[in-house]
Amino acid sequence: MYVAEALYRPGRLDEAPSQADRAAQRGAPDDVLTQMAWRQVAAKAVARRGDTGKAEQLALQAVALGEPVDMLDPRADSYADLAEVFELTGQPEAAVEPLRQAAELYGCTGNLASLRRVHERLSRLRAAATG
């Protein structure tokens, strides 16, 4: 699952989805982190290809899987990735609320680096909306 994200970040979109699929096939159905992570990477890759519906579905599934668990950083990551899907599919206004959710969770864990990145994204979205 981490390999897929590592391939996605530099834009290796031809390889990231296959690694996400591999994680989906090998991960246990009750392994929430794996089930969230492969959906997050797949959602972002699908969004870059223009399939808005499938991308949103996968990202929303990842968020839903994380809701009942106490792992706040992975939950925050799922919200941040949902926001990225919204941005990639031309819905920047829809990205604001998931980013707020991510910021709240990152703040609870003290993950200042991720919190800073989320605040920067929120600032960019607000600037784009007003400018």
Side-chain angles (χ1 to χ4, degrees):
M1 74 180 160
Y2 297 115
V3 173
E5 180 67 27
L7 291 167
Y8 170 80
R9 286 188 183 200
R12 294 171 63 180
L13 301 178
D14 53 332
E15 299 169 84
S18 65
Q19 288 298 320
D21 288 344
R22 182 174 288 156
Q25 293 168 4
R26 293 184 179 172
D30 62 345
D31 179 353
V32 175
L33 284 178
T34 298
Q35 295 302 320
M36 289 171 66
W38 78 256
R39 283 173 173 84
Q40 289 167 240
V41 173
K44 294 182 292 187
V46 168
R48 287 192 182 272
R49 292 187 186 141
D51 190 342
T52 301
K54 177 126 174 117
E56 287 180 24
Q57 176 186 15
L58 288 165
L60 288 167
Q61 287 174 353
V63 167
L65 285 166
E67 282 303 314
V69 298
D70 291 335
M71 299 172 288
L72 299 185
D73 270 331
R75 284 178 55 200
D77 293 342
S78 71
Y79 278 109
D81 287 343
L82 174 59
E84 184 172 342
V85 166
F86 284 137
E87 290 178 84
L88 290 169
T89 59
Q91 304 172 76
E93 65 288 341
V96 172
E97 186 54 33
L99 285 174
R100 286 184 186 147
Q101 292 287 337
E104 182 179 329
L105 292 168
Y106 287 136
C108 288
T109 66
N111 185 338
L112 300 180
S114 293
L115 181 61
R116 186 185 75 248
R117 282 192 297 275
V118 166
H119 281 280
E120 289 169 358
R121 288 173 65 189
L122 279 166
S123 294
R124 282 194 303 273
L125 287 173
R126 288 184 185 122
T130 61

